[in-house]
Amino acid sequence: MANILKDITNQLKVDEKSELFEQKIDVNKRTNSLFNNLDDIEDGLGQFNVKVFGVGGAGCNVIEHMIKSRVWPENVSLYALNTDLKALQRIKGLTNICLLGKKTLRGAGSGGDPSIGKISVDENRSDIRGVLEGTDILFIVAGLGKGTGSGASPEIARIAKELGILTVAIVNFPSVNAEGRSVYENALNSFDVLKAEVNSITRISNDKIINSNKDISFVKAFEQANIAVTNTVSDVVDMVGSASNMNLDFADIRNFFKSHATFMAGTFSVENNYTKDTLKEAIKKSTRDSFSDVNIKTENVKVILNLKINTDTPATINNDIRNVFKELTNTNALSLVPGVDQINIEGIKASYLMSASDQANQIEEDLVYEDESMEVSKVNDNNQSVNDMFKIDEDLNLDEYKSKPVNVTNTGGVKRETVHFDTEELIMDGDRFNSRDASKLITKAINSVMKPDIEPTDFTRKYS
C-alpha cells in the first residue's frame, strides 16, 4: 500500500513539473511574439502616401515631365488638374486627370483670371476631398501669375488643410520682364494667399533660370523649371523611401515642413578629389542651380540631409557640410539632421532641404541701360520695348535733365517728391528710384526731344 501511495505521489510531481514546463513554454512563446511580429504586416504599414497635384498649365507640364523622368514608387500618385481641356489632352500616360469647372467653364480655361481659377474648384470640391483622404503628404506644383494655378491652388490646399494633410507647395514664379507687370503682381498676391494655406512653400524663379544662361531658349527655360520641381519631389520621396545606415524617416520630414513656412531644396556631389573647398563649391553651386529666390541668409537654419558616401569618405563629412551651410547662411545657429548611406559610389552625393525666409514681395527692376547712348529697354505688359515703338535721336543728350526737377508720384501713390535725373543712377531722397517712376521720368525726357513727326504711342500715353 505504501508503495502505491509513493508511486501516485511521484506521478503527481511529474505531472506538476510537466504542466509548469508547458506553461513556461507558452509564456516564452507569447513573450517572443512581441519581438517577432513582422510576419503579418498589413499592406502599406511603414509607407507614407504621397500625392502630387499639378495645377494649371505650368503645374501640368511638371506632371508630364515627372511621368517621363523616372519610375515612381507605388506610394506616389501623380494628378493633373486644369481648366483647359486641350492642355489636359496633351498629357500622355496619366489616368489621374481632372478638368476643373467642367460644367461651368466647359474646358475653355480661366482666361488668366485667378478669380475664375478659384471658383473652378467648387464644382469638384467633393471629388478632390475624396481623392485626398488617407494622404500623408500632398505636393501642390503650379505656376503663379495666371488664372488656374494662382486661383485653384489655394482652394485645393484649403481642402487638404481641413483633412490635416501635410501640404507642401512648389511654385514657379514668372519673369516680370518676359511676362509683364500684371502677371507678376498676380503671382505676388497669389503666393501670399497660398502660403497661408500650406505648411511650407518654395518658389522657383524664371528670372534666375534666364539669368543663369542668357542664351537659353524659351523651351529649355521651362524645361529647367520642370526639372527643378521634379527633383525636389523626388528628393523628398527618396529621403524616406529606402533603408540606410542612418535613416531619415517621415517624422523628420513632417517636422521640418511643419516648422518652416519657407524652404529651398538642392542636390550636390563631389567626385574623388574631396576637400573642404570642393565641398563648399559644390554646395554653393547647388544653391544657384536650385533657381530658388527664397532667402537662405536667415537665423536658426535647419538642414535635412540625405547623404550617400563610400568607404573612403572622411569621418568629418557631416561636420564639414554643417560648417559650409553655416557660412553660406551666415548663421551660427544651424542644425543638421543627416541620413547617411554607405554605397559603392565614387565620391559623395547628397540632396537636402534647407529652411529659408521669403524675399520681400516687390516687383523687380525691369529698367536696363543698354549703353552710354541711353537706349532704354523698358518692357511693358505687351512685351514691347521702347526702341520698337518709337525712334530716338542718336545724338540725344539729356544733360539738361540732370538738374531739372521733375514731379513724380512715389511708390505709395500719395506723396509727390522732387527728383533729379542722373544718367548713372536715379535717386529719390537717398533711396533707389523704382522702375515705374523711372519710366515716367525718362519718357518725359524722350518726349521733349523726339522728332515732331512721330505720333504718340500707347506706351508714351501710359507713362507720360
Side-chain angles (χ1 to χ4, degrees), residues 35-49:
F35 298 96
N36 292 280
N37 64 344
L38 300 182
D39 295 332
D40 300 318
I41 297 297
E42 60 185 87
D43 291 341
L45 192 64
Q47 283 192 330
F48 62 105
N49 191 322

Side-chain angles (χ1 to χ4, degrees), residues 118-162:
K118 179 179 179 179
I119 64 173
S120 73
V121 177
D122 292 340
E123 195 177 306
N124 307 95
R125 194 173 294 273
S126 60
D127 294 330
I128 293 171
R129 188 180 184 91
V131 167
L132 287 177
E133 286 180 351
T135 302
D136 294 303
I137 179 169
L138 170 66
F139 288 99
I140 295 177
V141 297
L144 298 187
K146 300 292 181 65
T148 306
S150 297
S153 296
E155 292 301 302
I156 293 169
R158 195 169 289 118
I159 297 171
K161 191 177 186 179
E162 292 169 358

Side-chain angles (χ1 to χ4, degrees), residues 10-160:
N10 290 336
Q11 185 61 45
L12 287 173
K13 288 180 179 179
V14 169
D15 291 344
E16 183 180 2
K17 287 180 179 179
S18 177
E19 185 179 351
L20 289 172
F21 180 71
E22 288 177 0
Q23 287 178 355
K24 186 176 180 181
I25 290 175
D26 183 58
V27 169
N28 285 338
K29 282 183 178 178
R30 286 187 282 111
T31 304
N32 288 339
S33 69
L34 295 176
F35 298 96
N36 292 280
N37 64 344
L38 300 182
D39 295 332
D40 300 318
I41 297 297
E42 60 185 87
D43 291 341
L45 192 64
Q47 283 192 330
F48 62 105
N49 191 322
V50 180
K51 288 187 172 66
V52 185
F53 274 24
V55 185
C60 288
N61 287 341
V62 172
I63 294 297
E64 189 173 10
H65 181 270
M66 291 179 73
I67 294 170
K68 300 173 182 176
S69 67
R70 63 170 285 181
V71 177
W72 294 88
E74 292 182 359
N75 63 316
V76 179
S77 302
L78 310 180
Y79 294 79
L81 302 89
N82 204 349
T83 56
D84 186 339
L85 175 60
K86 291 181 179 179
L88 286 174
Q89 289 174 331
R90 289 199 302 267
I91 302 175
K92 306 299 182 184
L94 184 69
T95 56
N96 298 323
I97 294 179
C98 177
L99 179 61
L100 295 171
K102 181 178 179 180
K103 295 177 182 177
T104 309
L105 303 178
R106 300 180 60 81
S110 61
D113 187 344
S115 64
I116 300 298
K118 179 179 179 179
I119 64 173
S120 73
V121 177
D122 292 340
E123 195 177 306
N124 307 95
R125 194 173 294 273
S126 60
D127 294 330
I128 293 171
R129 188 180 184 91
V131 167
L132 287 177
E133 286 180 351
T135 302
D136 294 303
I137 179 169
L138 170 66
F139 288 99
I140 295 177
V141 297
L144 298 187
K146 300 292 181 65
T148 306
S150 297
S153 296
E155 292 301 302
I156 293 169
R158 195 169 289 118
I159 297 171

Side-chain angles (χ1 to χ4, degrees), residues 317-383:
I317 179 66
N318 280 342
N319 191 51
D320 293 344
I321 291 173
R322 184 173 179 271
N323 287 334
V324 171
F325 275 116
K326 282 173 63 176
E327 184 178 340
L328 290 179
T329 57
N330 196 28
T331 181
N332 286 321
L334 186 142
S335 63
L336 181 70
V337 181
V340 182
D341 194 15
Q342 181 180 308
I343 59 177
N344 185 24
I345 62 170
E346 292 185 359
I348 65 168
K349 298 181 185 298
S351 57
Y352 63 89
L353 303 171
M354 179 166 55
S355 62
S357 63
D358 187 34
Q359 300 281 45
N361 277 355
Q362 60 184 8
I363 295 182
E364 298 175 8
E365 290 292 330
D366 55 348
L367 184 66
V368 180
Y369 292 109
E370 298 291 348
D371 54 37
E372 294 180 358
S373 66
M374 290 300 297
E375 290 185 354
V376 182
S377 176
K378 161 70 184 168
V379 181
N380 71 356
D381 290 344
N382 294 321
N383 294 335

Side-chain angles (χ1 to χ4, degrees), residues 231-248:
N231 286 346
T232 299
V233 177
S234 185
D235 291 342
V236 173
V237 170
D238 290 343
M239 278 181 184
V240 294
S242 58
S244 58
N245 300 89
M246 185 187 294
N247 277 353
L248 288 170

